[in-house]
Amino acid sequence: HSLDDLLPQKLIPTLINLSGIEPNKKTNLVNKEERKKLLHLFKDFRLKVSSLDSVHKAIITTGGIELKDIDPKTMKSKIINNLSFAGEIINLDAPTGGYNLQLCWSTGYMAGKEAFSIS
């Protein structure tokens, strides 16, 4: 799939379906209007929460940008220039108890400090 590097595997069929693009259509045959629909879904994909589960299942977020792809001193991407990461978008899990908050504050500070020094 052309979307394999852009989206989680489980999300791809849903976005293809919502875009109206034939699932087996070759990438080079996707027309401009279909690409616009897909882009709109990328930018404004909305979900309606239909129910909640136990708080015990809502404690951790897992997955995200791999640590090997981030400069730990600046939080900048090693792959894409002028792109930085912070917080729970980074693939780093820890026990509950404030560790994720500290990760957000520390990496956000580092990324912001680096962004300010560049401008």
Side-chain angles (χ1 to χ4, degrees):
H1 287 108
S2 296
L3 301 175
D4 286 349
D5 292 335
L6 299 173
L7 297 169
Q9 293 299 306
K10 291 183 179 182
L11 185 57
I12 293 172
T14 300
L15 285 181
I16 294 294
N17 181 46
L18 290 172
S19 72
I21 298 171
E22 174 63 36
N24 295 322
K25 191 172 196 176
K26 293 189 179 209
T27 303
N28 64 335
L29 297 177
V30 175
N31 65 40
K32 184 176 182 178
E33 192 59 38
E34 291 170 324
R35 287 191 309 270
K36 282 184 177 182
K37 287 180 187 176
L38 194 56
L39 180 61
H40 175 73
L41 288 169
F42 271 51
K43 291 181 171 185
D44 192 25
F45 184 66
R46 296 180 185 225
L47 299 170
K48 181 178 181 182
V49 176
S50 59
S51 66
L52 299 175
D53 210 334
S54 165
V55 70
H56 299 291
K57 292 184 179 180
I59 292 176
I60 194 164
T61 300
T62 189
I65 308 301
E66 295 294 334
L67 294 174
K68 67 180 177 56
D69 296 330
I70 302 171
D71 178 340
K73 293 180 181 176
T74 63
M75 302 314 298
K76 291 180 74 170
S77 171
K78 292 181 180 178
I79 298 171
I80 300 173
N81 289 333
N82 298 320
L83 179 63
S84 297
F85 304 104
E88 291 189 350
I89 196 165
I90 299 169
N91 187 17
L92 184 63
D93 301 335
T96 60
Y99 297 101
N100 63 331
L101 294 174
Q102 186 61 53
L103 171 73
C104 292
W105 295 326
S106 297
T107 57
Y109 173 81
M110 292 164 57
K113 184 177 175 183
E114 178 66 17
F116 183 74
S117 69
I118 292 173
S119 57

